[in-house]
C-alpha cells in the first residue's frame, strides 16, 4: 500500500529536477523518494552504549540476519540489498533502506565494523583463467579467481575493512557446486585474506518446524588472534522442538485454499512422478512434525508446504505463517504483496539458528581477545 503527498517546488528546483530526470531516465517519483530515503537514513539511531559489537548486513534481503545479530547484542552500521521490494520490507521494519548494488559501492566508504554478515548468492566461478595462469607459473589471488562474482565483493570488503570476524550463509549445495571447485575457491580466497575459517551445514528444524539445511562459513582474523582459534558450531536448541501446529493461524482467508483445478493438477503431477520412480510432488506438512524447505518459488503453487483441511482442499501457508516458519517475530511487518512476501521469506534465513551462531561468534571473539591480551602482557 502506498500513499500520496503533494509538494510545492520553486521554479528553479522544478526545472533542475526535470532536467535531472530527463538525463537520468528516472521518474520524478523515483528521484524524490530516493532523496527522502537518503535523508531518513541519515537519521539512523546512534550506536547503543551497551552494544557488544558492530556489524554490516550484506545481501540483506529483508533483514533476517540483522534481527539475529541484533538479538546477539550487535548494532548494524551498514546494509546493502538491491531488490526494491526487499528494500521496502527492510525499511518498514528497521527505518532505513539498504544501499543498492554492492558492486558499485566503494569498500572504503563502508563504516568500520567488527563482524561482516552476508548471505551472498552462489554464482559460477571461472576456472579457465585460473588454470591458464597456473600453467604459466603465475600466482593467482582471490581477485583473479572471484572477479565477476558477488563473492568477490565480500572479499574486497574484507580486505578493505578488516573486520574481526565474518559469517557467510549459503545453500547446502554450495559445497558440491561445480564438482566442489566453487567451494574450494571460496575457502582458498578467505585463507589468502588471512582468516581462520570454519564451516558446517546446519539444519534449522530444531529451532523452527522446517527442514532447512544451509552452510555457514565463519572466519576470524588471524592477524589479530593468530591461528589457534577455538570455535565450534555448538548450537543450543530450545527445550521445546516446534511443530507445524505451533505456527498456524486460526482464521485463514479462503483465498489460500487451493482451487479444484490446481489441486487436481498437483495430484496428477505427483502420481506421474511416483509411477516413474521419482519423489517429486506436493508435500502435506504434518501438524506434529516439520515441513519441507520453504523456497522462493512458493508463490507459484505452494506445493512444497501444504496444510491439510478437513472436508476441503489443502491450503497454502499465509505470509505470516511463512514468517513464523523462518522464526521471524510476529511484530515483523509485511508491507508487500503475498507474492513478494513468499519470495522474501523463501529466500530468508532461520532467524533463531543464525542468532545462536552469532552468539557463538561473539563468545569466541571475547575469548580470543582475552587470550591475545594475556599473551601481550607476558611478552
Amino acid at each position: 500500500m502506498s500513499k500520496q503527498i503533494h509538494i510545492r517546488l520553486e521554479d528553479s528546483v522544478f526545472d533542475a529536477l526535470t532536467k535531472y530526470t530527463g538525463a537520468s531516465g528516472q521518474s520524478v517519483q523515483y528521484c524524490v523518494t530516493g532523496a527522502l530515503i537518503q535523508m531518513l537514513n541519515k537519521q539512523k539511531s546512534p550506536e547503543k552504549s551497551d552494544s557488544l559489537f558492530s556489524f554490516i548486513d550484506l545481501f540483506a534481503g529483508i533483514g533476517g540476519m540483522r534481527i539475529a545479530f541484533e538479538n546477539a547484542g550487535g548494532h548494524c552500521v551498514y546494509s546493502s540489498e538491491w531488490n526494491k521490494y526487499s528494500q521496502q520490507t527492510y525499511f518498514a521494519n528497521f527505518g532505513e533502506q539498504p544501499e543498492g548494488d554492492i558492486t558499485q559501492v566503494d569498500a572504503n566508504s563502508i563504516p568500520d565494523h567488527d563482524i561482516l554478515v552476508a548471505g551472498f548468492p552462489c554464482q559460477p566461478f571461472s576456472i579457465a583463467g585460473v588454470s591458464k595462469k597456473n600453467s604459466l607459473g603465475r600466482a593467482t589471488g582471490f581477485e583473479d579467481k572471484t572477479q565477476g562474482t558477488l563473492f568477490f565483493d565480500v572479499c574486497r570488503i574484507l580486505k578493505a575493512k578488516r573486520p574481526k570476524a565474518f559469517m557467510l550463509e549459503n545453500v547446502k549445495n554450495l559445497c558440491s557446486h561445480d564438482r566442489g571447485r566453487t567451494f574450494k575457491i571460496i575457502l582458498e580466497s578467505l585463507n589468502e585474506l588471512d582468516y581462520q575459517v570454519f564451516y558446517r551445514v546446519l539444519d534449522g528444524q530444531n529451532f523452527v518446524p522446517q527442514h532447512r539445511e544451509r552452510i555457514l562459513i565463519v572466519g576470524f582474523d588471524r592477524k589479530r588472534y593468530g591461528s589457534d582459534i577455538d570455535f565450534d558450531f555448538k548450537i543450543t536448541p530450545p527445550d521445546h522442538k516446534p511443530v507445524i501446529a505451533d505456527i498456524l493461524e486460526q482464521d485463514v482467508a479462503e483465498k489460500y485454499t487451493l482451487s479444484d483445478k490446481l489441486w487436481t493438477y498437483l495430484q496428477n503431477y505427483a502420481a506421474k512422478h511416483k509411477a516413474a520412480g521419482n519423489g517429486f510432488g506436493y508435500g502435506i506438512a504434518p501438524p506434529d512434525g516439520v515441513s519441507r524447505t520453504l523456497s522462493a518459488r512458493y508463490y507459484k503453487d505452494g506445493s512444497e508446504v501444504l496444510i491439510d483441511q478437513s472436508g476441503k482442499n489443502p491450503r497454502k501457508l499465509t505470509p505470516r505463517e511463512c514468517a513464523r516458519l523462518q522464526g521471524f517475530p510476529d511484530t515483523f511487518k509485511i508491507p508487500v504483496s503475498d507474492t513478494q512476501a513468499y519470495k522474501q521469506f523463501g529466500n530468508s534465513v532461520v532467524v533463531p539458528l543464525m542468532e545462536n551462531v552469532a552468539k557463538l561468534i561473539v563468545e569466541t571473539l571475547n575469548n580470543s581477545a582475552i587470550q591475545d591480551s594475556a599473551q601481550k602482557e607476558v611478552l
Side-chain angles (χ1 to χ4, degrees), residues 286-314:
D288 58 349
V290 301
S291 74
R292 294 180 181 178
T293 301
L294 184 71
S295 72
R297 70 166 300 281
Y298 191 75
Y299 74 95
K300 293 184 176 181
D301 54 28
S303 61
E304 64 261 41
V305 186
L306 294 174
I307 304 301
D308 189 36
Q309 299 186 105
S310 179
K312 58 195 303 189
N313 296 344

Side-chain angles (χ1 to χ4, degrees), residues 93 320 328-334:
N93 285 281
R320 177 58 62 192
F328 281 79
D330 279 355
T331 53
F332 190 83
K333 301 182 182 70
I334 308 174

Side-chain angles (χ1 to χ4, degrees), residues 312-329:
K312 58 195 303 189
N313 296 344
R315 69 171 178 86
K316 297 193 295 186
L317 295 171
T318 67
R320 177 58 62 192
E321 289 170 337
C322 289
R324 292 173 178 175
L325 195 63
Q326 293 282 45
F328 281 79

Side-chain angles (χ1 to χ4, degrees), residues 221-375:
D221 183 9
R222 283 198 294 254
K223 292 182 178 180
R224 280 190 178 93
Y225 308 117
S227 57
D228 188 22
I229 299 170
D230 183 21
F231 178 80
D232 190 13
F233 291 91
K234 298 174 292 189
I235 61 172
T236 307
D239 294 332
H240 167 70
K241 183 174 180 178
V243 295
I244 286 294
D246 295 330
I247 63 129
L248 299 182
E249 294 188 276
Q250 295 302 311
D251 298 314
V252 177
E254 190 64 27
K255 67 178 181 177
Y256 296 107
T257 296
L258 300 188
S259 67
D260 290 341
K261 181 179 179 180
L262 177 55
W263 179 223
T264 299
Y265 168 79
L266 290 178
Q267 291 179 92
N268 292 339
Y269 183 84
K272 180 180 70 174
H273 281 281
K274 183 177 181 180
N278 300 323
F280 300 109
Y282 62 86
I284 302 290
D288 58 349
V290 301
S291 74
R292 294 180 181 178
T293 301
L294 184 71
S295 72
R297 70 166 300 281
Y298 191 75
Y299 74 95
K300 293 184 176 181
D301 54 28
S303 61
E304 64 261 41
V305 186
L306 294 174
I307 304 301
D308 189 36
Q309 299 186 105
S310 179
K312 58 195 303 189
N313 296 344
R315 69 171 178 86
K316 297 193 295 186
L317 295 171
T318 67
R320 177 58 62 192
E321 289 170 337
C322 289
R324 292 173 178 175
L325 195 63
Q326 293 282 45
F328 281 79
D330 279 355
T331 53
F332 190 83
K333 301 182 182 70
I334 308 174
V336 294
S337 67
D338 282 4
T339 294
Q340 292 300 328
Y342 287 137
K343 290 180 180 180
Q344 290 174 2
F345 289 116
N347 278 325
S348 194
V349 296
V350 174
V351 174
L353 173 59
M354 300 304 143
E355 178 184 338
N356 208 280
V357 177
K359 290 177 179 177
L360 292 175
I361 295 172
V362 175
E363 181 183 338
T364 300
L365 285 176
N366 291 337
N367 291 338
S368 297
I370 292 172
Q371 292 174 5
D372 183 51
S373 176
Q375 289 173 356

